[in-house]
Amino acid sequence: DWNNIQRFIYPKTVLLFDDYWVNRNDVGCKQLIDNLILTQKWNIALLDPVDIFSPPTYLEYKQIRMVRILPK
């Protein structure tokens, strides 16, 4: 998805990702966002609050937050 959306990004574009898993690297957009932070080509904000879902409803604790990306 990231490769496809980049051609639509302009100077005033705001991108929001809603699946940044704080405690997992194998799902959501965490790997992408962490890599984008390293490139320093984007203004990235990890937004609060962190949603926490816990057992017994879920098998494990889930910590999910939103991320805002702006072009530099």
Side-chain angles (χ1 to χ4, degrees), residues 39-69:
T39 68
Q40 299 181 352
K41 294 180 180 178
W42 306 91
N43 290 316
I44 298 175
L46 302 177
L47 305 176
D48 289 326
V50 175
D51 291 324
I52 298 174
F53 304 94
S54 60
T57 306
Y58 296 91
L59 297 176
E60 63 179 314
Y61 285 95
K62 298 180 182 186
Q63 300 173 11
I64 304 170
R65 70 186 330 156
M66 293 186 68
V67 178
R68 183 187 67 223
I69 301 176

Side-chain angles (χ1 to χ4, degrees), residues 1-9 15 17 32 36 42:
D1 293 340
W2 177 249
N3 293 331
N4 292 324
I5 193 89
Q6 288 184 69
R7 62 187 165 147
F8 299 108
I9 298 173
L15 298 166
F17 285 77
L32 170 66
L36 293 176
W42 306 91

